[in-house]
């Protein structure tokens, strides 16, 4: 059917992330993509205002909303499996492309060309892809912070691994976020309200 795209996308709420790990708070794919949209928009806005770049922050936020949409058809493959080796990464990338193409077929014909770039990400420049990837990593890193703050040691290794990866990433917008914003994610509600 060519009118079932949104009902499928709305099923992102049923795709659990971090499925191999104990979570104090479950995270679903819809929540993750919303967080990525907030973070991508923020990073792009930092790029524009602090580093005098010319990102279309609104467009990038929409790309972030759809960046994992194909997982409604594939599920969320755990990171240790997805990135086991180069062959596995390559195979999974092909699966993602196939799922994105299939998901596009659930749109009415006149809309397919409009949504295709959001589903496959091919219209993004290398710098825009890097910014979205930074937001994706930040979302995972923040999840680890929340879990560790709740006393869940299950996320120690993920926190260290993602932190090391983030530290190696060359991105001035990401560095700005780490230096100016990340610490606030460890604050309590009372502390946060005191900073308003």
């Amino acid at each position: 059917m060519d009118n079932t795209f949104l009902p499928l996308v709305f099923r992102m709420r049923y795709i659990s992330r971090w499925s191999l790990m104990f979570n104090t708070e479950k995270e679903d794919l819809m929540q993750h993509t919303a967080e990525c949209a907030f973070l991508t928009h923020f990073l792009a806005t930092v790029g524009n205002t602090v580093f005098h770049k010319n990102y279309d922050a609104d467009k990038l936020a929409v790309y972030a909303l759809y960046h994992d949409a194909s997982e409604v058809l594939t599920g969320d493959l755990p990171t240790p499996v997805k990135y086991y080796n180069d062959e596995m990464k390559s195979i999974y990338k092909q699966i993602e492309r196939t799922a994105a193409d299939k998901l596009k077929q659930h749109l009415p014909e006149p809309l397919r060309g409009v949504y295709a770039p959001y589903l496959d990400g091919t219209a993004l420049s290398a710098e825009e892809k890097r910014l979205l990837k930074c937001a994706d990593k930040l979302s995972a890193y923040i999840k680890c912070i929340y879990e560790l703050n709740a006393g869940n040691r299950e996320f120690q290794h993920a926190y260290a691994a993602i932190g090391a990866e983030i530290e190696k990433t060359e991105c001035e917008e990401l560095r700005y976020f780490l230096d100016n914003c990340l610490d606030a994610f460890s604050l309590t509600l009372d502390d946060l309200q005191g900073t308003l």
Side-chain angles (χ1 to χ4, degrees), residues 78-158:
T79 297
V81 177
K82 193 185 301 187
Y83 299 113
Y84 180 73
N85 60 29
D86 288 340
E87 182 182 11
M88 194 66 145
K89 281 191 273 189
S90 176
I91 290 168
Y92 192 70
K93 284 288 177 202
Q94 179 57 46
I95 291 169
E96 286 180 318
R97 283 191 294 272
T98 302
D101 286 342
K102 185 174 171 105
L103 188 57
K104 185 174 62 176
Q105 299 307 311
H106 289 269
L107 282 158
E109 178 65 41
L111 301 181
R112 290 178 189 168
V114 175
Y115 280 88
Y118 295 117
L119 296 173
D120 62 28
T122 54
L124 294 177
S125 69
E127 193 170 17
E128 290 170 329
K129 285 180 184 176
R130 182 177 49 83
L131 207 64
L132 178 52
K133 188 68 174 167
C134 287
D136 196 35
K137 287 290 174 197
L138 277 175
S139 174
Y141 199 49
I142 291 165
K143 165 66 172 173
C144 292
I145 290 169
Y146 286 160
E147 289 290 334
L148 290 172
N149 285 348
N152 183 5
R153 295 179 51 223
E154 182 88 7
F155 278 76
Q156 283 179 320
H157 293 292

Side-chain angles (χ1 to χ4, degrees), residues 146 149 183-196:
Y146 286 160
N149 285 348
D183 288 347
F185 285 89
S186 292
L187 297 176
T188 66
L189 176 60
D190 289 335
D191 292 333
L192 287 169
Q193 289 177 335
T195 63
L196 295 177

Side-chain angles (χ1 to χ4, degrees), residues 16-88:
S16 295
R17 290 175 46 84
W18 307 95
S19 60
L20 296 180
M21 300 168 74
F22 169 72
N23 289 255
T24 60
E25 180 184 351
K26 296 290 184 190
E27 180 180 297
D28 64 58
L29 186 60
M30 187 171 277
Q31 176 185 349
H32 167 69
T33 58
E35 289 177 3
C36 283
F38 288 128
L39 290 164
T40 302
H41 192 275
F42 188 88
L43 292 175
T45 303
V46 166
N48 293 341
T49 57
V50 178
F51 300 109
H52 312 292
K53 297 191 179 174
N54 193 30
Y55 294 116
D56 183 339
D58 297 346
K59 176 189 88 168
L60 289 174
V62 176
Y63 272 91
L65 286 173
Y66 289 105
H67 83 280
D68 281 339
S70 64
E71 290 183 14
V72 298
L73 300 178
T74 66
D76 180 38
L77 196 61
T79 297
V81 177
K82 193 185 301 187
Y83 299 113
Y84 180 73
N85 60 29
D86 288 340
E87 182 182 11
M88 194 66 145

